[in-house]
């Protein structure tokens, strides 16, 4: 066994742990050493983190770990916490989070076994691009990491260690969160209890928020928001922000924050909204930061009507930004709208774009803002399909909202026609009480004007017009109801979900019908309030238990909650009520695939394709599932990759609209099958349609094309 002289306390190369041989040291921290391990039998590699707190641990006989007797209590506590953290992390399953595989006790300590991620760190990736980096390119990396962090936070975890060297870009292009900082909380607690008084470095310079150094502080998602803001700051400026501890000291000693704002230091073009959200994320006070990853991500989305681009500044000497008190950068920035954005992490760009058009004739009609309108195109968890979605996540919201607004307009137009036609007699008292208004400003006239604004796409004016109608309506409840419905529709188009929900709640006071519960349920769904959405959708089902659409909508919500068993049950009920609807078979198939039940998933897609052979989305989705199964099982890998290729062949040959992703995905399959020439041809075809697709560009570079 050879020694590793630069790491005097590391295990010797060749040491065996649970069938894995130590190959090399990957990294050393204050509380552990991470190795690369190789299993000569399975030919698999793993990253192995050893519990080894520096200062109170040493070795005997090259491998056995021994601790100071003075620190016995804290070591016992910390080792047990390390074991329990590993067990909890083993339950995390997300395509952009490194898999924690196992916990192994050995050598009087413990080892966390993790997936070995092949690729380069984000830091290396950024250095390779330098000033050539584009903001959209960085955003394609960051969006999946945001997805992963939202998943982590939903499980009541804080990552604690986000930095460019803890984000890996796999060889296939997928960004991955690695090296969870759960061990940092162990270190933070342990160092206050250890007799040695040893510090283990629980904060990462430049990237950790100031509260992470406070033993008394309870961290929440805003700690990860700070670190993610620091990562993006480093990406767009070429250097990390000033360290939080230094900034605090500068405020106390110099009266000025040494933080340099993004607007002063960015090397690439950025929208104002991105500059603002990065500065806010790096506020020293948690209360001044975006409250969640979702809010942080929203600030990175470029709104076409409000976008202004900051050009890179010339290299100049920049003075520190004065900041009164401890209010961090961006403390005066206005907060984004309180309503959450529509979910984005389960849709492809191309699928969202197609959602703007009506579904095929085989899709069931729905009385609600239709789940059947292709809102629930779920993204495959397969390695390369998830990667292909990364490059296009940003435009998903617009597609989803277009589909939703189409559903709203269709649904409400019938109601508005009925209500306005049956209420031609306006309230004469309103004319008496509003002599200062134009003669046409009756409730009916105001409603007609608001409807026209909405029809023309002027939804802000429509909302004002509907509000005027409500004021003028007096006791004319039918006109008031029509205005509430119209205003709810326009709020939905503008993504004012809390206002939309308030209007629909008022509608339900007048009309507690299944369709109105369904509408509010969909509004809750867009606002990410899934439990409330399910409550309304369940009420709609109780009122009209024979409508397949309501089961489909609840199934959609359960899919987004990742409650796939409930989703399968709902889609099965929808199929029972409408067995000719290809859409429900496809969605149930996706739920089965998300549970790795590939046989049932492929059976459902076979039915969907048989019932709707001209809906090429189903071929695309089935190709995703074949690749997913190929990744999960070596036994059928080549066959499944060829089946996926065959489905994409059908799309590229027969579909009226072919997307860059179709060629890109097939190119990735050809590459995995060893067909270099066809892979190069497909990557070029993808780039001919969309010149800035990173995966296709990377594919050409890999293959020397």
């Amino acid at each position: 066994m050879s020694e590793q002289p630069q790491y005097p306390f590391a295990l010797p190369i060749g040491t065996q742990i649970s069938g894995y041989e130590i190959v090399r040291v990957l990294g050393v921290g204050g509380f552990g050493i991470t190795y690369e391990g190789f299993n000569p039998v399975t030919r698999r590699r793993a990253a192995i983190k050893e519990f080894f707190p520096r200062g109170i641990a040493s070795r005997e006989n090259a491998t056995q770990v021994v601790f100071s007797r003075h620190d016995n209590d804290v070591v016992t506590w910390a080792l047990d916490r390390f074991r329990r953290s590993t067990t909890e992390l083993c339950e995390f399953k997300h395509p952009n989070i490194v898999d924690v595989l196992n916990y192994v006790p050995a050598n009087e300590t413990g080892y966390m076994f993790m997936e070995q991620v092949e690729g380069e760190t984000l830091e290396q990736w950024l250095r390779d691009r330098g000033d050539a980096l584009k903001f959209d390119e960085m955003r394609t990396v960051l969006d999946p990491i945001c997805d992963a962090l939202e998943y982590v936070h939903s499980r009541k975890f804080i990552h604690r260690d986000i930095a460019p060297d803890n984000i890996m870009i796999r060889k296939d292009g997928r960004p991955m969160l690695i090296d969870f900082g759960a061990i940092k909380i162990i270190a933070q607690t342990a160092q206050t209890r250890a007799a040695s008084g040893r510090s283990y470095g629980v904060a990462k310079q430049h990237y950790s928020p100031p509260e992470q150094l406070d033993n008394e502080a309870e961290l929440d998602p805003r700690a990860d928001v700070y670190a993610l803001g620091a990562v993006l700051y480093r990406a767009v400026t070429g250097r990390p922000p000033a360290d939080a501890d230094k900034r605090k000291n500068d405020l106390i000693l110099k009266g000025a924050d040494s933080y340099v704002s993004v607007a002063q230091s960015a090397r690439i073009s950025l929208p104002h909204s991105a500059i603002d959200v990065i500065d806010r994320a790096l506020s020293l006070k948690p209360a001044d930061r975006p409250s969640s990853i979702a809010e942080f991500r929203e600030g990175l989305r470029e709104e076409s009507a409000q976008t202004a681009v900051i050009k890179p500044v010339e290299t100049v000497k920049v003075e520190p930004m004065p900041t009164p008190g401890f209010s961090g950068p961006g403390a005066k920035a206005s907060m984004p709208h309180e309503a959450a954005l529509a979910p984005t992490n389960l849709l492809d760009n191309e699928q969202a774009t197609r959602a703007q058009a009506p579904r095929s004739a085989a899709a069931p009609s729905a009385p609600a803002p239709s789940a059947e309108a292709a809102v629930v195109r779920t993204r495959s968890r397969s390695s390369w399909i998830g990667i292909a979605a990364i490059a296009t996540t940003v435009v998903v919201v617009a597609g989803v909202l277009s589909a939703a607004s189409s559903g709203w307009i269709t649904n409400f137009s019938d109601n508005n026609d009925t209500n306005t036609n049956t209420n031609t007699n306006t309230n004469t008292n309103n004319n008496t009480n509003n002599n200062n208004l134009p003669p046409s400003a009756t409730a009916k006239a105001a409603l007609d004007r608001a409807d026209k604004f909405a029809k023309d796409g002027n939804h802000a004016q429509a909302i004002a017009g509907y509000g005027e109608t409500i004021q003028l309506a007096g006791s004319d409840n039918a006109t008031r109801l029509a205005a509430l419905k119209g205003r709810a529709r326009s709020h939905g188009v503008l993504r004012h979900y809390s206002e939309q929900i308030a209007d629909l709640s008022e509608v339900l006071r007048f009309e507690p019908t299944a369709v109105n519960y369904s509408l509010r349920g969909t509004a809750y769904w867009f606002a990410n309030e899934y439990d409330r959405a399910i409550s309304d959708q369940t009420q709609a089902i109780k009122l009209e238990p024979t409508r397949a659409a309501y089961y489909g909508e609840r199934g959609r919500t359960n899919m987004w909650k990742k409650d796939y068993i409930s989703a399968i049950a709902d889609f099965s009920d929808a199929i029972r009520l409408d067995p000719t609807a290809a859409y429900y078979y496809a969605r149930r198939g996706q739920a089965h695939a998300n549970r790795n039940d590939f046989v049932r998933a492929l059976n459902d897609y076979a039915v969907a394709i048989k019932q709707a052979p001209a809906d090429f989305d189903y071929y695309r989705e089935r190709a995703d599932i074949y690749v997913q199964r190929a990744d999960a099982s070596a036994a059928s890998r080549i066959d499944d990759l060829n089946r996926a290729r065959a489905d994409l062949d059908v799309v590229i040959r027969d579909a009226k609209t072919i997307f860059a992703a179709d060629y890109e995905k097939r190119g990735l399959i050809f590459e995995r099958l060893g067909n270099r020439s066809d892979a190069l041809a497909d990557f070029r075809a993808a780039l001919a349609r969309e010149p800035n697709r990173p995966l296709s560009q990377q594919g050409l570079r890999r293959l020397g094309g």
Side-chain angles (χ1 to χ4, degrees), residues 392-414:
T392 55
T393 304
V394 175
V395 297
V396 167
V397 171
V400 177
L401 291 169
S402 296
S405 64
S406 175
W408 280 101
I409 292 167
T410 300
N411 179 71
F412 274 116
S413 61
D414 292 339

Side-chain angles (χ1 to χ4, degrees), residues 19 39 73 105 137 139 141 147 221 290 311 406-408 455-456 479 578 648 678:
N39 188 316
D73 288 344
E137 188 179 14
R139 199 161 49 179
V141 172
D147 285 346
K311 298 296 182 183
S406 175
W408 280 101
K455 183 178 179 181
D456 294 342
T479 302
D578 189 357
L648 292 172
D678 284 339

Side-chain angles (χ1 to χ4, degrees), residues 333-346:
S334 60
M335 298 292 285
H337 196 279
E338 65 181 12
L341 279 183
T344 63
N345 60 326
L346 298 179

Side-chain angles (χ1 to χ4, degrees), residues 83-94 97-104 111-114 151 155 157:
R83 176 188 59 79
R84 288 190 286 117
S85 294
T86 303
T87 302
E88 291 168 342
L89 291 171
C90 283
E91 297 177 4
F92 281 26
K93 300 298 176 187
H94 190 280
I97 296 176
V98 64
D99 280 338
V100 177
L101 306 173
N102 196 12
Y103 175 83
V104 175
Y111 297 86
M112 176 193 293
F113 278 63
M114 297 172 286
Y151 173 85
R155 305 293 292 266
F157 259 71

